Amino acid sequence: MSDELDEIQGIFFEECTEGLAVAEAGLSAMAEGDASSETIAGVFRAVHSIKGGSGAFGHAALLAFSHRFENVLDEVRGGRIPASAEVTKTLLGAFDILSDHVAAAQGGTEPPADAAMLAQLDAVLESKGAVAAAPAPAPAPAPEPVAEADEFGFTPVAAVVEDFDPFGFEPVAVQLEDFAPVEPAEPAGWTVRFGPSRGALGNGGEPMLVIRELEDMGAVVTGVDVDSLPGLRDLDPEDSYFVWTLRVPGTVGEQDIRDCFDFVAPDSLIEIDREEVLVAIVPEVPAAPAAPVAEDDDGFGVFEPLPVPEELLTLVPLEPAPVVAAPAAVPAAAAEKPKAEARPASVEVAQTIRVDLSKLDQLLNLVGELVIRGSILSDRLSPADQERVELPELSRLTRQIQDNVMSLRAQPIKQAFSRVPRMLRDLSAETGKKVILETIGEMTEVDKGVIEKIGDPLTHMIRNAVDHGIESAEERLAAGKPAEGTIHLSAEQKGARIIVRVRDDGRGINRERVRAKAIERGIISADAAISDEEIDGLICAPGFSTAETISNISGRGVGMDVVRSNVEALGGRLEINSIPGEGTTFTMALPLTLAILDGMIVRLGDQRFVLPLANVIETVQPEPGQVKETSPTSEVIELRGQYLSVRRVGELFGMRSQRAPEDSLVIIVESETAGHVGLMVDTIDNRREVVIKSLEDNLHPIRGLGGATILGDGSIALILDIDALVATGGSSKYALKGMAA
Amino acid sequence: MSTEDTELDERKIVTFTLGSRLFGIDMRSLIEIREWEEPTPLPSVPPYVKGVTNLRGSVVPVVGLSERLGWAPSELHSRSCILVVTINGRHAGFLVDEVQDIVVIQASEIQPAPDVEINEQGAIAGLVKIERRTHDAANAEAMCLLLDLDALSLTRQVPDFA
């Protein structure tokens, strides 16, 4: 049972993460001046659902904080507090604390100190009085009564009308507007009857949690109905037999009550009634439908005629969390809940389903196998058969399936970028440096595996940029720069690589100091003659740190070292470019996907290798004399008046080939580090998409290899990592000695 | 399959030879036995890693077990074969001279290994006496060295990457 609860909790935290992302996106948009009602409502909803779940799972601190946060958001949403820059700033601060709360609840650690933030939120709430005196222009034609109805739980409904009327939600709007004018004269208490379904306990539904949450809102248990309790003989200790009756103060909103039941088994008995019906009817709108309310025993019969439920109910399964409400017992609940679900749909948020990543991986593997089988088939057919229409058709389909599966794993890199603004706010607070973030290309899609792994490198790079790169405001002004530093974060796709850059406009790398430190740490010898680029590269050396004092931001000498190894482990490369006084750019070149590669299959002796097609510029069949020796171990090729260095791939792999250059082919490849370089191979087999099989699955990564693939005939070809190969220089520095065999 | 549950003390081992020595590994680690096939050689790996081979779609390293233990490489012959095993979820193939048998031993029969001259500490989990399937009555019993595959894990041999 606790396992199931853990599982549901897991879903809750997953939703929290999503909610936080939504809230942050919304708040960021607000900070940039987008105070539209959808944006604000989006933030509100996100925080609201976090609150709902936190209550159900007994995360008291999180619940308390999100509740206060939500109150302020509600006011902002209702237009009673203007979404000014000041307010937004407070909201952003509150958001950060909320993230900490979620993290604390998830990690089971101490909740963060939030007293200061709560005080700020309260200040915003209080100062609203002044603001409200001169009512800000309401964002929507929401009449006052609707806003006030808040206390009675109708606000969400009203919000739907306000916010989403323009999005084609008329059917609901019309019905609800009929109801909106029904304004109770004074708050009456609620009577809540709650009977967990028989199987609720078995399913991990703990009624105590719900009751406790209600009690936190001031509810009192007034009675327990034990009528259905059977005799001891028939009693099943895992069944629930009780029906609790609670009295909830009228000041509590109905939605808040309903929220307590968010995680209750759907077939439980939930009745929420007004104690006494003190409903005044505002005779503006045809009041007829409202009239029965007064007599109606559940008070919500009015909702029944809504045309919405049936259609909307079909959307319910989209929400993976156990959905509340007993449709039969409380029609209102049925109508209420689907509406909440439907809102996102109405703003055309894509419908999604959650899929276990391992299932996707499996699918990807299968498609990979399919591709391989396709090649085998094609290899075995006669040339005449290969021309038949079915085969290209089959490979086209396979290719499409492959693309689709790949795109399932692709996610906008935004996911990795989204944690940066928060981090910068923290860093700014810690260091007192003001930093502006500029992001470009955050919608660039990258394989999920890549996104997951660039988080840490990105964090380290940004920390480094703020801590070491960007100067203090005074220093900047003295250097004629704006007081605020800027960090550019960009992502772009370039061929089969994703280039992620972190650029700051700080002081650049202090090469003198780096050099001195490297000598001091024994990383280089005192008389080493090294280039500026090499000095810059030293900051990635293990154990290197130039920070005079170890701050808690960076300076432990692990950061950049970790960055480089993480990036390399992904099959990527890290480059550092620094201009003294102007700033530093860290560039990560990452593989677009970890799974499939467009490659050129080349032959060396009897072994085949795959060259990533993205690196290939052209292929040259050298004329006699076109390849010249410059030293016994190095050669160049003359190409249209240019001399390009040529590497014999066979030699890089320790296989001495006696083939004359004119019997070989030179493939000109582009590398990030060494520009254009020629690679000499025996022949080219063909061009083909290959499925990358990582070597570290069963072995460990090998420098110079990007992995391996299985060819059509079942044999293995190694995939060359051009950049790593070329970077090793002419010498076989990376000792490809195992090859001798 | 089910015997391992019913008889906790009972273990099935696969025995094979390397030169004149008889070895055994736990049957549960074995995935398959395949004929020797020249693997695709790899650069930058210790000499005992012979290369990689295709095991039903995944790339599996092939290790010369004899060299791995610090002895002279096995000579290839018609009965050379590869034992494909799983070590902590990772697969590896070990080149051995000849697969002998599958025998059932009692865990209580396993004796601790005295110092065995190999370069990998702890690779020998113990010694056990087994009955050989042979007509040579004088030589019916043999000493079998039980290998601890965990100690042979290839990932522990990561050179200096990262």
Side-chain angles (χ1 to χ4, degrees), chain B residues 11-16 21-27 65 69 103-113 116 118 122-130 143-152:
Chain B
R11 282 197 207 166
K12 274 187 179 169
I13 59 167
V14 181
T15 60
F16 55 88
R21 297 178 180 91
L22 185 65
F23 288 88
I25 57 165
D26 196 313
M27 181 78 178
L65 182 57
L69 297 174
V103 291
V104 176
I105 58 164
Q106 305 293 322
S108 55
E109 294 170 2
I110 301 173
Q111 301 172 32
V116 185
I118 51 169
I124 304 294
L127 302 177
V128 67
K129 195 179 276 183
I130 59 162
M143 183 192 72
C144 174
L145 296 96
L146 290 178
L147 278 183
D148 179 1
L149 290 175
D150 287 352
L152 296 176

Side-chain angles (χ1 to χ4, degrees), chain B residues 45-120:
Chain B
V45 288
Y48 57 75
V49 178
K50 300 274 182 196
V52 282
T53 193
N54 169 11
L55 173 75
R56 282 176 263 120
S58 65
V59 176
V60 173
V62 177
V63 174
L65 182 57
S66 190
E67 290 129 289
R68 180 73 181 87
L69 297 174
W71 300 323
S74 304
E75 272 176 39
L76 295 174
H77 52 78
S78 63
R79 275 182 291 187
S80 292
C81 56
I82 301 175
L83 292 180
V84 183
V85 297
T86 167
I87 307 173
N88 297 326
R90 291 167 184 260
H91 297 169
F94 287 110
L95 168 63
V96 303
D97 280 349
E98 194 175 339
V99 173
Q100 295 262 308
D101 202 353
I102 293 171
V103 291
V104 176
I105 58 164
Q106 305 293 322
S108 55
E109 294 170 2
I110 301 173
Q111 301 172 32
D115 282 348
V116 185
E117 202 183 308
I118 51 169
N119 74 347
E120 192 61 49

